[in-house]
Structure formats: C-alpha cells, structure tokens
Amino acid sequence: MQQEEAVPWDPIPHEFNRLSDLDVSDLRELRWPPEDGVSIIVSSPPLESLNEEHQWRLVFRVAAYMSHGYDTWAGALPLTWPAQQWAVDGWQVAMWEVANSLLMRQTVDYIQRDRFHHYVVMAHDIAYEFVASEYRVEDLGIAP
C-alpha cells in the first residue's frame, strides 16, 4: 500500500493559501442530487498590499467529509507533517489534495474512485477533509 502524499491545491489565489492564516466558517450541508453537497466559507487575513479580509465560498459535491484536530487522526503524520511535504515557494500551504488517500479508499467504491479527489483545508489546528467528485469556488470579495 502506498503512503499518502500531500499535493498543494490552490482553489483560491496562491498568496492567500497560507497555513495558520485561513479561517473556515459556515460549514453547511446542501441538498445536491444525486450526491450531498457541503459548503464552507474560507477567510484570509489581509495581505500587506490589502487592508481587508477576503472571503471565498467553496462548495463540494461530496461522497464523505469530516473535520478534526490535525493531530487526532491516525493518518495525519504523512499528511500534515513534516511541513516540507506541503510547502510551496517557501509558504506552508493551508489547502492540499491527498494522493493515495486512505479516506477515499474507505468511502468510495473502487469502480468510481477515478472520479473523486480528497481535498484538505487547514484552519489553524482544525483539518476539514472532503472526498468530492467536483468543487466550485465563489469569490465573495471583502469580508463584511
């Protein structure tokens, strides 16, 4: 069995995708036939060039999802540590895709597995994980 590997994922502009900077709020389940959907709001603190917090809504068509403290999941070691595995351009990214995902093997039928991806959004010390066949991103602009 291959070990899980973190692959950087940039659904929002890369300069905002920084570990320990993102906040996740408003996680809600949606009815999205034929599969359930999940929506989250991702907020980033201001960059040096901007003075306002920016927000995006990510909507996933999911087979499974969960959230947990990053150190409470048995598979967390290869995914969230060491940091070199998910650092890009010197930044430790807060969003990545998991290759060789154990969670995907546990939740998606083998025949359908090539349609799904395992995405992770890290908000401080909480990991939000989505096994999804697709996702979309809506730029909400400056936070109210």
Side-chain angles (χ1 to χ4, degrees):
M1 181 179 297
Q2 293 181 309
Q3 183 176 5
E4 291 184 330
E5 180 182 352
V7 179
W9 172 54
D10 279 328
I12 65 174
H14 180 68
E15 61 270 18
F16 291 99
N17 184 358
R18 300 183 308 200
L19 189 68
S20 298
D21 280 354
L22 288 185
D23 286 319
V24 170
S25 62
D26 196 42
L27 181 130
R28 66 176 67 180
E29 294 183 11
L30 311 168
R31 294 292 166 220
W32 191 2
E35 299 155 320
D36 289 335
V38 175
S39 167
I40 60 172
I41 302 290
V42 176
S43 303
S44 175
L47 298 177
E48 291 178 16
S49 60
L50 301 171
N51 293 327
E52 293 93 4
E53 181 178 286
H54 204 92
Q55 292 185 324
W56 298 266
R57 176 179 290 114
L58 280 70
V59 180
F60 299 89
R61 183 175 283 193
V62 297
Y65 74 96
M66 66 179 175
S67 64
H68 53 84
Y70 79 91
D71 60 345
T72 61
W73 174 46
L77 249 154
L79 173 60
T80 58
W81 205 258
Q84 304 88 279
Q85 290 187 354
W86 34 265
V88 177
D89 300 333
W91 291 108
Q92 294 175 356
V93 297
M95 298 181 172
W96 57 87
E97 184 176 345
V98 181
N100 306 313
S101 165
L102 175 60
L103 179 60
M104 192 156 53
R105 288 192 303 270
Q106 293 172 337
T107 58
V108 178
D109 180 278
Y110 176 79
I111 295 170
Q112 297 184 8
R113 237 174 253 156
D114 62 344
R115 292 183 32 225
F116 288 84
H117 298 269
H118 179 177
Y119 301 107
V120 177
V121 178
M122 192 72 167
H124 304 287
D125 61 348
I126 303 293
Y128 296 85
E129 302 194 49
F130 306 91
V131 174
S133 60
E134 62 184 80
Y135 71 90
R136 69 178 188 267
V137 179
E138 180 183 350
D139 188 336
L140 301 177
I142 305 304

